[in-house]
Each structure stands twice: as C-alpha cells, then as structure tokens.
Amino acid sequence: MCREEAIRINLLSVRRPLCLAGLAFAAAVAAAACTVRGAPVYEELDRKTVTAAGYVKYTEYKETAAGKTPVVTLSEAAVLTESHISSLEQFLLRSDQLSQRGLHHFWKENRKTLQDQDTEGIEGVLCYMDADDMPPVGSLVVVAGDFRAFTHASNPGEFDSADYYRIMGQQGRIMNCRCLARSASYSVFRDKLNRLKEYLGLLADHCFDPEDASVIKAMLLGEKGTLNGDIKELYRQNGILHILAISGLHLSVIGMGLHRIMKRMRFPDTVNIILSAAFMYGYGVMTGMGISMLRAYIMFGLHLGAELIGRTYDLLTALAAAALLMLSSQPLYVQHSGFLFSFGAICGIGVFLPAAQENQLGTGRWEKALLSGTAISLSTLPVYLRFYYEFPPYSILLNLLVIPCMTFVLAGGLAALGVAACCLPLGTAAAYPVHLMLAFYKKCCGFFIRIPGSRWAAGCPETWQIAFFLAILAGAVLRNRKMSKMHFWLCVLCALRVLSIRLPQGLQITMLDVGQGDCICLTEDGGMNLLIDGGSSDKSNVAEYQIMPYLKHEGVSYLDAVVVTHPDSDHISGIRELLEQPETDRIAVGALYLPDVGETGRNEAYHDLEDAAGRAGADVRYLGRGDTLKFGKVMLICIHPETGWDTEDVNAYSTVLYLTYGGFSALFTGDLEGEGEDRVTKTMQDLKNRGLRGVTLLKVAHHGSGNSTGGDFLNAVEPKIALISSGRNNRYGHPHEELLQRLTEAGCRIYGTQESGAVTVYVKSGRVRVEEYCR
C-alpha cells in the first residue's frame, strides 16, 4: 500500500470516525424514510369547527387575503372532545398558583384522556388568529376555529403540504381562531425573546420601506410570513433565496463577531465562550431555531467547545455530529429541502472544495472565490433540481457578489435597529446604506435573470441519477491526486451530464388533477410538448400550483402548442395564467389553437385569450374539422367543429382531437355534448364503417356528466381506457353514476382524478401502461 493511500485511510477511519458513523446513520435514515407512508390527512375534520389545546411554541405574522394575520404554532396539541372542553377551560382559568413544571405534568398525564380518539396523530397545529391577541409563548391555551386539513400532492411536481408540515410537526391549520382560555404560567425567557422580536420588527417597519422591511425581518428575525412575494420569487429564480434563511452566515457574522469582540476585550475564555453560546442560543430561539440555524448552532457550539479544551476543530466531524443529533430527534429531516441544502453546502466546502483547489485552473483571488461557489453549487445541485426542477447557472456568479456583502447587510441592519431603538428618527438615516445594498441585490437579480440561459430546465432527476452523480463526484475527490486536472473536471462534466439524462418514454399522456376542470399534457421523445386545456373552477392559481410545477418537473420549458377546446373558465383559467406569467419565469408557448367557429361562439373569454396570446408572443391559430397537427410520430386530427359553425353553445363546439401514434389512438373531447356529440358520433361511426377498430383511450367529456358520452357515442368509439377529470366532492356530482355504468358496460377501464390524482398513460413499442399518481 502506498503512503498516500495509507494517510487517506487513516484520515477516514481514525481521525474522523464520527464522519463515517454520521454518513452511515444518514444513509440508513434516508433508506428508512423511503419506506415511510405519507402523512395522515384529517379530511373528516376539514372545514369543521374544532376546539384544540396545546403549548404556544412560536408566534409570527403572515400575509393572507385578510392582511397581516397573527399565527400561533401549537405543539403537544390535542383536538378536544366536546365533554372535556369546559372542564379544561375552567382548570386553566384557575391555574394561577400552578408552576410551569406542574402545568407540564398535568398536560402530560391528561392529554391523551382529553383528546378525541380519532385525532391522536395530531401533535401540532397552526392557528390563524382572528384578532391581534397573541398568547404568551410557552402558555397552555384552549383555542377554537375552523379546521383545515393539509393535503397531499395529487400531481407530479406539486407541493405536498401534508408531508412538509409533518416534518415541521404540524398536522393542520385552524382558521378564524379564538383563544378561549390560557394558563397563567408561561415561559418568561421565550416570551421575552418573542416580544423583543416583535419590537425589532416594528423598528424595521419604521426604518425601512415595506419591501426592504420584509427582507430585513426575514434575514434578521426569521419572519418569512410577511416577506414580499415578488422579492422572494426573484431571489429564488436567481438562486440566492438562501440568504433569507437564518443560518451559519448569521452565526459567523453575529456569533463569531461577538466572540472576537469579547476576545479583544480580554474576557476570560470560559466566560467568552459561555456568553457567546448563550447569546446565539437566545437568538436562535427568538428566530424560531430553523433547520439551518440549528445545524449552524451545533457546529458553532462544537467550535467553541474545541477552543475551550484546546482541541482542533474539524469541520466534517462537527457536521457529522450535527447530522446525528438532528436526525436522531427527527429522522424525516432527511426529506426536508432546508436540511439537505444546509448540509450539502457544508459538504461542498469540506469535501469537494479541497479536491477542486488542488485542480484549480487559476490562482487569482476571483478564481478561488469562483471555485468556492462552484463547490457549493455542485454539492447542492441535486437538491435544487429535486425540489425546484430547474437551476440558475448564473447563481454561482451572483453569489460572488451577494455573499461578501451579506456581512455589511446583516451588521448594517442590526446597527439601524439599534440606532432606531435609541433615537427613532435617526434609524431611518442609518438604514439608508442597507437600502442601497438591497437595491443593488435587486438590480443584479434583474440583470442576471434576463441573460439568455438564465435557467437550466433539467426537470426532476431520478434517484439513480442522483446516486450516479454523487458517486462520480466522490470518485473524482478520492482519486484527484492520481488524475490530471483535465480528467478531474471531465468527471465533473460527466456528473452534470448524468443529471440531464431523460430516458426515452415514448408517448406520454398525463391528465392532471386540477380539481373541477381539465388539463392534459402530451409529451413525446422527439421533443413534442403539447397542452390540451388548462383550467379549474374550484382551484385558484391552478397554473402556479399544479400546471407549471408539473411542466417544470418534466423538464418542459417550451410548449409547442396549447389547444383550447372551448373558452369555459374550468378549461382556460390556467392557460390565461400561463400566458400572463412574467417573461422571466414563463413557460414559452409556440402557438395557441382555438376552435374555428363563427362569431356567435366567440365570446369575451375567447377574445381575451387571443389578446393574452398576442401579448405573450404566441401565434394564434384556429382548428376546424380536417385540420391536422403533426409532431414526429404523433398525428392529431381535428374532427370537430366544422369551420365556421355558428352556435352559442360553447360545450357543443368543443374541439375534438383524434390522436394516432403507431397502433395507439386517443380521442380528446373537451366538454362535448348535445348537437356536437351527435356530429362526432356520426363521424366516428363513418370511420368505423371504413375499418376503424375503436380508440384505445377516451378522455370522457364534461367531467363525467350524465348528459354526455351517450350509448351511441360509445358504440361508435369503442374505447378501452376512459379518463375522467373532476374535482373531489364537487357540487355537480361528477362523474355521474349512469355515465360510469355506460362506460363499464362498454368494457372500459376507468381512471379518474378524484381518486387517482394525475393519471399518466405511457405508450412505447406498442405497449400501453397506465400509472396513477395517488396509488
């Protein structure tokens, strides 16, 4: 064995045994997390009035439709049974003489008894208060309001609120919440810190304009609920959203800054370390002790501890210790983006950066800084793509400008608040330099996002791609001294190429779950991306929350065509949103196709779509019977309506597309009914008489209405698979029982978004496979 390899093994196995233990533990937790079932959803409580009790863990304000709303996070919560509500209220009202310890003992002994048995899984709730009456932090409270259950994602790419909030310890929200009773005892320490946070927030509101104040409160106080939405999105698109999170940067500026100041003032080392750790612990508690902050605080504590006992601080060992402690308390952190980003960035600095420095191509100051940014970006890239599906390449350069200035922003923000606390008018003047720096950030973001290539739309990588990516980087790090610089960076490029691979899927037809509405996406290996309708009558912002996340998840940044079957809101609301998205975040549309009907059928919504497409730079085209769209092996033939057909019934003139792909065929029908269905029935019967054997797939018209898809129509079409798009518990009763009976008698396999979520049909090499997202 050569000396170099012996040294390497010694470093891994002797000097850093905790690193290996932490890595093994994290891998075991990640493997176990893959087998964990989705968070329970308490649909039986949804929109019902409930009474709950629990400890006030954290309070903040959030921007809602009603304005700035106080939000209380309850921990150790319980939804109470009706018979116990009054007795618990009376107990709390008479709890003046009860200590905090006595209160904890009472709640620990009686919580299960007071809790409704059907809600035993509820451990925490978010309470949106209907009045600005924040109970003290640490108090035990009884609240009442309207329960809102968190839901699981029903489409690929959609945010899963149930799983996310389970990791954070909450299982529901209570809206219009009222505090019925609260204990006299509470956590004085945590409540004083919370009141200090509120006071500093008020100072920030006075010193800065509303936009800057929201950023400063997020950066310094952890108040993200009131963060300006446009700024948050701008930072996200440019890859600098991390600067808004309380993290290691704050500890290095505030904690280590205080530590160095006390050192210069010749404080005894023990006193210095205890005061620094205590101060940063208080700061963490005040700002909510988020995941990044908790990781940084553990490592900060280990750094101070190593200094106290005269030992060398090892970054990777401290990181492994933090991972062990955090995952032991909450294993599901391994699925949280904040955890993965935070630990991934430090791994990039501690593991990849040293190897990259040995292979750096330049020796200048900027080259070294660029290398550091590259190391962090590479190590967090799989996380970025897994959660956001696209990556801003220029973020590496932008972070070179932003991060060095963060010391000034944080210190300047704290200084402005300190000056304002002493003399309010001077606070505004002291805040002006920070305002200039935030304006500089905004200008830089606006510049970079408009440069061509500002987004790499890679889509969501598969687990095997991430595993290969990390394996290649690990191999390059371990073997970097045995390979040339060129080979090292070729390995890095190879790893990046792995993340961009899209395996052939053939034709992919996905009916998204948009509630009571329609949206179908067609993609094909040749590069075709096409949307048929996109709207909902019971989900707002359907493009932002369902359609665009799905398209980005699939790596779609350009739609060749969008076909609107008819201009009803439940088919076009999302299309209008897509066309009206800001250019910097828009999924470009090549052409918008509308039904080629007479002027009578071209209502206001029809013309509004034409105008929106024009503003978005999309061609506006029209489809009438006999028109075709061809994309590689995919052929779409319009069989309805006849060009110029004049009718006011928009459902009747719904565009009907007949798709062929090798031996596979499909019929997309919009909301076809009435006279329009009769015409299509006759057309399909004529095709059948000429030898058509029926279609493989039918998109059932009008969300499964009993007045559409009649027996004669089914006899002419003879579908094998039927897809139905309708909202859960919709007021129309879709899909109707008589329609389901007709489809069953016709021999169809029926799939609906109500139970299956998004339904995807894969057609490859003559084989058809159906996949349900929620099964």
Side-chain angles (χ1 to χ4, degrees), residues 239-240 242-243 249 252-253 372-373 376 395-410 440-441:
I240 63 168
H242 60 90
I243 67 173
L249 183 62
S252 64
V253 173
S372 298
I376 294 173
S395 63
I396 300 173
L397 298 175
L398 183 57
N399 275 293
L400 291 180
L401 299 174
V402 167
I403 291 180
C405 300
M406 279 300 295
T407 300
F408 173 80
V409 172
L410 294 176
F440 171 71
Y441 283 5

Side-chain angles (χ1 to χ4, degrees), residues 414-432:
L414 287 172
L417 297 183
V419 171
C422 300
C423 179
L424 202 57
L426 290 178
T428 303
Y432 189 69

Side-chain angles (χ1 to χ4, degrees), residues 441-575:
Y441 283 5
K442 193 173 179 180
K443 288 286 187 184
C444 288
C445 287
F447 171 76
F448 279 103
I449 204 170
R450 285 176 171 79
I451 301 176
S454 62
R455 286 190 300 163
W456 176 34
C460 181
E462 300 288 345
T463 303
W464 68 265
Q465 290 178 280
I466 295 176
F468 269 102
F469 173 85
L470 295 177
I472 293 172
L473 288 188
V477 168
L478 292 173
R479 305 286 295 176
N480 82 89
R481 292 180 181 176
K482 291 191 173 182
M483 60 174 68
S484 65
K485 292 182 179 181
M486 183 182 71
H487 286 151
F488 178 85
W489 292 110
L490 282 177
C491 284
V492 172
L493 292 176
C494 182
L496 290 173
R497 180 68 185 95
V498 167
L499 287 181
S500 64
I501 293 173
R502 306 291 293 182
L503 295 178
Q505 295 287 351
L507 175 64
Q508 183 175 320
I509 302 171
T510 301
M511 182 173 67
L512 295 181
D513 178 15
V514 290
Q516 189 64 16
D518 261 17
C519 184
I520 298 173
C521 183
L522 283 71
T523 61
E524 198 265 335
D525 294 335
M528 178 202 75
N529 298 302
L530 185 144
L531 212 61
I532 300 176
D533 287 334
S536 177
S537 61
D538 64 351
K539 289 189 177 184
S540 57
N541 302 319
V542 68
E544 179 180 357
Y545 295 121
Q546 278 85 35
I547 300 175
M548 288 182 64
Y550 170 77
L551 294 173
K552 290 181 178 182
H553 180 274
E554 298 300 308
V556 175
S557 59
Y558 177 81
L559 289 167
D560 298 282
V562 173
V563 178
V564 173
T565 60
H566 63 293
D568 274 353
S569 176
D570 58 338
H571 290 250
I572 67 168
S573 62
I575 300 300

Side-chain angles (χ1 to χ4, degrees), residues 347-357 374-375 378 473 476-477 488-489 492:
C347 282
I349 294 172
V351 178
F352 182 78
L353 181 59
Q357 287 173 337
T374 302
L378 274 174
L473 288 188
V477 168
F488 178 85
W489 292 110
V492 172

Side-chain angles (χ1 to χ4, degrees), residues 331-379:
L332 291 178
Y333 277 155
V334 77
Q335 297 177 343
H336 192 279
S337 61
F339 179 90
L340 297 172
F341 271 121
S342 184
F343 280 83
I346 303 302
C347 282
I349 294 172
V351 178
F352 182 78
L353 181 59
Q357 287 173 337
E358 293 181 13
N359 292 277
Q360 67 184 54
L361 303 177
T363 57
R365 182 178 175 183
W366 281 103
E367 287 88 345
K368 292 180 179 179
L370 183 62
L371 202 60
S372 298
T374 302
I376 294 173
S377 295
L378 274 174
S379 60

